[in-house]
Amino acid sequence: MIISNPKGTQDFLPPYSEQKHYLETQFRKVVALYGFSEIVTPCFEHTELFLRSTGLTTDIVTKQIYSFTDKGGRDLTLRPEGTPGVVRAFLQNNLKPPLRLFYIGPMFRYEKPQKGRYREFYQLGIEVIGEAHPQTDVEVIEMGLNFFSAVNVKDLVVKVNSVGCALCRNRFRSDLIFYLNTVRDKICEDCKARLERNPLRVFDCKETTCQELYQSAPKIADYLCYDCQNHFQIVLQELTERNLPFELDKMMVRGLDYYTRTTFEYVPSLSTALGAQDSLGGGGRYDNLIEDFGGPKIPAIGFALGLERILIYLGNPTLPRKNLVYLIPLDGESEKQAKQLLRQLRTSEIPAILNLPDKNLRSGLGIADNLSCEYVIIIGSEEMKKQVYTVKQLSTKSQQEVPQDKIIEFFNQTFTKQSTKEF
Ligand code: HAM
């Protein structure tokens, strides 16, 4: 093999490609119940967009963006996340708030690849633009939980925090800097740089020593102004009233610069399948971003879920066989009949494939098995004489004769019964 896929990327092969499709379908179903419409934005944008939103002091922008200059001399970047593109599209197209949008697509970050962390990965995301009330925060968090429960991710806890507003941060900043200076010789080089540029980012550090030191550092959630405190109290109260599985985590600041007030992450409480990359999704409010982009003061909130991480969490899928019929005629006369039946099945929306003339019964059965077909129809001179089809069910290895004029009815009934099957 001369060419292999680039480091940090992956092929989605069956059955994972089908499981991926299944997760996307379930996501579409759940967000539709909450009134969301789809938005599709480009996979690359002007680099400046991410510098001004994701943030100049974040790991994503300082270390992980895939940027390039195109043949026209433009500075472009493969999107590391979906939020900036959605906000750009909202402003550029003069969309009218309130608005509930969702997106599904690949994101790109130049990370050190490991389990659950890739350079190209898919996000299932939502953004609510123009709803300021704390009840929206809870509605959004709840919707994410409902999606996870629909796809059988059961042991989740939502870590919740508030990162306040500019007012809260001003008061907090000086206390944090004071604390960090007292432990300056013990923190890592990255954190020393964070201390200079944006001290709040130290909480993103994955180094154990730093994490331990920051347990005793001042926390932004203890510095909230009256309005932010009030907002957060309502969020916590509403989460409790709705009986949602949440946990207050004052250390969680999230790795993006635009957040204000409520931030949250979906983390498994029991499963260890994901190791260090345990966040299945995260989000929060970004009430200033639209204004920072030169737009009006419009609040917003959203989240994004990591599709690959959900697949890892769910483990190897045991896929049911497909509602797909494989037709094997045994001689020339039966082949004519099989071709007619093939058309009839497809017209009736029953998926079907015909064995090719250069394949015999044995290899036909092998192909049907390989393609995960649930049914094989065998047509030979005996069947032609009796005006029946021999229908073989591969999962049960059972066989029965079905009258030719009842075959569509037969599959319509069996396939409807099976369509409730899930992963
Ligand atoms: P984020 O926390 O950077 O937030 O990413 C959201 C989720 O994407 C993570 O929790 C994780 O499941 C997945 N993810 C991130 N990086 C990788 C990677 N390298 N490989 C695999 N999965 C990954 C955002 O992206 C924000 N835009 C979310 C948001 C929307 N906030 C407000 N609106």
Side-chain angles (χ1 to χ4, degrees):
M1 182 72 193
I2 303 170
I3 301 172
S4 58
N5 63 320
K7 191 171 170 183
T9 68
Q10 55 184 337
D11 302 314
F12 281 93
L13 309 173
Y16 291 100
S17 50
E18 286 167 29
Q19 203 187 13
K20 171 176 175 289
H21 183 78
Y22 167 75
L23 291 182
E24 292 170 359
T25 310
Q26 292 304 312
F27 185 71
R28 284 172 187 276
K29 273 190 196 164
V30 173
V31 299
L33 291 173
Y34 288 76
F36 283 73
S37 312
E38 186 167 18
I39 181 164
V40 181
T41 62
C43 281
F44 59 87
E45 299 268 0
H46 291 287
T47 301
E48 199 190 341
L49 180 79
F50 302 110
L51 304 188
R52 287 181 50 184
S53 52
T54 310
L56 280 167
T57 63
T58 59
D59 277 0
I60 299 180
V61 164
T62 53
K63 300 180 188 165
Q64 301 172 346
I65 51 173
Y66 275 97
S67 297
F68 59 98
T69 308
D70 76 0
K71 290 195 170 74
R74 298 169 195 92
D75 284 331
L76 302 171
T77 291
L78 298 184
R79 61 178 181 193
E81 53 143 345
T83 313
V86 172
V87 169
R88 194 250 330 123
F90 167 78
L91 284 171
Q92 192 177 337
N93 295 289
N94 286 320
L95 301 181
K96 195 169 163 282
L99 208 56
R100 294 181 162 211
L101 301 167
F102 80 91
Y103 49 90
I104 298 175
M107 308 292 155
F108 307 86
R109 294 183 193 175
Y110 188 79
E111 302 216 52
K112 203 163 158 214
Q114 53 179 274
K115 187 162 147 195
R117 192 197 276 172
Y118 308 100
R119 290 184 176 174
E120 182 189 40
F121 59 96
Y122 283 79
Q123 280 188 345
L124 307 162
I126 62 114
E127 310 295 345
V128 179
I129 298 177
E131 294 185 27
H133 200 278
Q135 203 152 304
T136 299
D137 308 20
V138 180
E139 163 126 323
V140 158
I141 293 174
E142 178 196 73
M143 180 173 73
L145 285 168
N146 281 346
F147 162 73
F148 281 118
S149 140
V151 299
N152 251 329
V153 176
K154 302 275 190 216
D155 70 312
L156 271 195
V157 63
V158 192
K159 292 192 173 172
V160 191
N161 194 16
S162 174
V163 294
C165 62
L167 194 67
C168 320
R169 261 174 249 173
N170 270 344
R171 295 196 299 129
F172 165 66
R173 211 181 127 87
S174 46
D175 281 7
L176 179 63
I177 293 175
F178 180 82
Y179 175 82
L180 290 174
N181 277 321
T182 64
V183 292
R184 199 189 162 93
D185 49 344
K186 298 193 191 112
I187 61 179
C188 71
E189 289 308 311
D190 271 358
C191 280
K192 283 184 187 135
R194 288 175 181 128
L195 169 55
E196 303 306 326
R197 282 188 318 211
N198 184 354
L200 190 68
R201 290 265 74 85
V202 297
F203 291 101
D204 288 342
C205 185
K206 301 283 179 283
E207 296 287 330
T208 329
T209 330
C210 295
Q211 278 295 317
E212 278 165 11
L213 284 169
Y214 304 150
Q215 298 283 344
S216 343
K219 308 288 180 321
I220 178 76
D222 297 323
Y223 287 76
L224 301 182
C225 67
Y226 178 79
D227 286 348
C228 289
Q229 179 65 30
N230 195 30
H231 184 101
F232 197 40
Q233 276 314 317
I234 299 174
V235 170
L236 296 177
Q237 197 178 321
E238 187 94 15
L239 286 168
T240 312
E241 273 167 23
R242 295 193 194 190
N243 217 3
L244 300 176
F246 77 95
E247 204 173 81
L248 177 62
D249 182 353
K250 293 184 180 176
M251 292 272 285
M252 188 201 56
V253 295
R254 312 254 314 119
L256 302 130
D257 274 356
Y258 47 65
Y259 287 122
T260 53
R261 297 192 167 175
T262 317
T263 53
F264 55 94
E265 267 179 23
Y266 297 99
V267 180
S269 57
L270 300 172
S271 166
T272 50
L274 280 152
Q277 308 308 314
D278 64 350
S279 171
L280 292 180
R285 276 207 163 269
Y286 48 97
D287 289 346
N288 299 333
L289 186 60
I290 295 172
E291 200 181 11
D292 290 348
F293 272 5
K297 179 141 189 61
I298 297 176
I301 180 168
F303 67 61
L305 315 178
L307 192 136
E308 289 81 356
R309 293 195 189 173
I310 305 173
L311 289 179
I312 295 173
Y313 174 95
L314 291 173
N316 289 340
T318 43
L319 272 187
R321 284 182 174 271
K322 283 206 185 90
N323 284 348
L324 176 62
V325 185
Y326 197 83
L327 274 57
I328 310 183
L330 300 178
D331 52 45
E333 205 42 40
S334 322
E335 197 185 344
K336 276 190 215 145
Q337 178 74 19
K339 281 183 178 159
Q340 198 186 324
L341 174 60
L342 182 71
R343 272 195 299 276
Q344 206 187 342
L345 288 167
R346 287 178 178 163
T347 314
S348 309
E349 295 186 4
I350 298 165
I353 313 180
L354 180 63
N355 196 36
L356 290 169
D358 59 354
K359 301 278 184 278
N360 61 19
L361 174 62
R362 215 177 112 95
S363 47
L365 286 171
I367 297 169
D369 190 39
N370 205 24
L371 292 172
S372 268
C373 299
E374 175 68 333
Y375 287 97
V376 172
I377 297 182
I378 300 169
I379 319 168
S381 53
E382 198 57 24
E383 282 82 3
M384 294 289 282
K385 215 183 311 157
K386 288 160 75 180
Q387 303 234 313
V388 295
Y389 295 122
T390 296
V391 178
K392 219 172 148 55
Q393 188 172 3
L394 294 188
S395 61
T396 59
K397 299 196 165 41
S398 60
Q399 186 164 309
Q400 61 181 304
E401 286 183 349
V402 178
Q404 288 188 356
D405 58 353
K406 294 274 183 295
I407 195 77
I408 300 294
E409 203 179 313
F410 172 84
F411 282 115
N412 274 338
Q413 279 176 7
T414 14
F415 284 172
T416 323
K417 260 188 252 148
Q418 285 181 357
S419 65
T420 46
K421 272 189 196 169
E422 282 182 3
F423 285 87

